[in-house]
Amino acid sequence: MRIVIGNLKEATHPDTLKAAFAELVSMFIFVFPSEGCAIALANMMTSDGAATPGGGFIAAAISHAFSLFVAVSVSANISGGHVNPAVTFGAFLGGHISLFKTILYWIAQLLGSVTALFLLKIATGDLDTSSYALRGGETPWNAVIFMIVMTFQLVYTVYATTIDPKSGDMECIAPISIGFVVGANTLGGGGLYGAAMNPAMAFGQAVDSWKWNSQWIYWFGPFVGAAIAALVYEAIFISSRNAHEQLPTKVVEKEYLKEYLIQVE
């Protein structure tokens, strides 16, 4: 594991700020249609509150997969296309992004999610947005295990298609691969715990609905899953000889930044 600290000068560099803004926009692109789909499905429920039919899960999975595909595509060459605090955390543990830049990404991702949900609230005439929560009959740790497994799959896919220096032409299909794994997990876990692999989306929903009861699940689980995926991939597939590499260009830090980075082996 390689951890890069960085410092405030790197964090305030124009390229870093542009990357953070790209994460904000991409998170907005992902959350707005995904949550819009959830609102539409909720309003298609029968008057007695019957569960959304199976077709609703398919629609939600497609919405998540397509919007994330676009969100990753448009920011991949600027910020690495993380669009998820857990993905950023995994990249940080592998030494592919500095701590200061990680914090900026997290702030941008949270703002993007909150902004998308705020505008959805206005655009839909104050309709309630969905919020992740336990469905009843299960313990919080059941949900945590689910989040760990699903986020492991997501971050492992990100590592294999974008971070691994040997990924080569795989980068071309990275956005669709990432979108597909999220879509598949939405189908598999959407009806249980909301398939919340993205803490920023869970945070935005909590801010919008002001329901924080199970919020810790949707941070703890994804971060643990991301950490396991990063450590496993780094230890097994990425040679320890590789120097610190920034996403997405896979080149050594620019000369004006190298002197400011502190690497902890």
Side-chain angles (χ1 to χ4, degrees), residues 104-171:
L104 276 179
Y105 274 30
W106 285 342
I107 294 171
Q109 291 158 353
L110 295 178
L111 286 175
S113 178
V114 171
T115 302
L117 284 159
F118 174 74
L119 291 179
L120 264 175
K121 196 84 168 179
I122 296 174
T124 59
D126 206 33
L127 291 177
D128 290 333
T129 56
S130 62
S131 59
Y132 295 128
L134 300 180
R135 303 304 184 204
E138 65 273 344
T139 69
W141 291 106
N142 295 138
V144 167
I145 292 172
F146 219 93
M147 298 306 112
I148 290 173
V149 173
M150 289 192 297
T151 311
F152 173 88
Q153 296 174 8
L154 169 60
V155 176
Y156 189 93
T157 301
V158 171
Y159 256 86
T161 58
T162 65
I163 295 178
D164 191 333
K166 300 182 293 295
S167 60
D169 293 339
M170 285 290 290
E171 285 188 340

Side-chain angles (χ1 to χ4, degrees), residues 12-243:
T12 56
H13 192 276
D15 287 348
T16 302
L17 297 177
K18 289 176 184 177
F21 183 72
E23 284 294 307
L24 187 155
V25 174
S26 287
M27 183 60 72
F28 180 90
I29 290 172
F30 171 54
V31 173
F32 193 89
S34 298
E35 284 300 305
C37 179
I39 292 173
L41 291 174
N43 281 275
M44 290 169 59
M45 294 171 66
T46 58
S47 58
D48 61 355
T52 303
F57 291 119
I58 297 175
I62 292 174
S63 175
H64 279 71
F66 282 10
S67 59
L68 185 58
F69 164 58
V70 174
V72 173
S73 297
V74 300
S75 60
N77 292 328
I78 305 170
S79 66
H82 294 186
V83 202
N84 188 326
V87 171
T88 302
F89 182 63
F92 165 69
L93 290 181
H96 302 280
I97 182 172
S98 72
L99 175 61
F100 281 87
K101 199 169 184 179
T102 295
I103 293 171
L104 276 179
Y105 274 30
W106 285 342
I107 294 171
Q109 291 158 353
L110 295 178
L111 286 175
S113 178
V114 171
T115 302
L117 284 159
F118 174 74
L119 291 179
L120 264 175
K121 196 84 168 179
I122 296 174
T124 59
D126 206 33
L127 291 177
D128 290 333
T129 56
S130 62
S131 59
Y132 295 128
L134 300 180
R135 303 304 184 204
E138 65 273 344
T139 69
W141 291 106
N142 295 138
V144 167
I145 292 172
F146 219 93
M147 298 306 112
I148 290 173
V149 173
M150 289 192 297
T151 311
F152 173 88
Q153 296 174 8
L154 169 60
V155 176
Y156 189 93
T157 301
V158 171
Y159 256 86
T161 58
T162 65
I163 295 178
D164 191 333
K166 300 182 293 295
S167 60
D169 293 339
M170 285 290 290
E171 285 188 340
C172 297
I173 66 167
I176 197 167
S177 298
I178 295 167
F180 276 3
V181 74
V182 168
N185 280 330
T186 301
L187 280 173
L192 297 174
Y193 312 108
M197 296 157 278
N198 196 318
M201 182 177 281
F203 177 81
Q205 292 177 348
V207 170
D208 181 71
S209 63
W210 211 249
K211 296 177 182 177
W212 301 89
N213 296 342
S214 304
Q215 182 68 193
W216 71 272
I217 296 173
Y218 303 108
W219 285 84
F220 181 74
F223 270 55
V224 171
I228 295 173
L231 296 177
V232 166
Y233 203 98
E234 285 283 343
I236 298 176
F237 300 111
I238 297 183
S239 170
S240 59
R241 293 175 297 175
N242 291 330

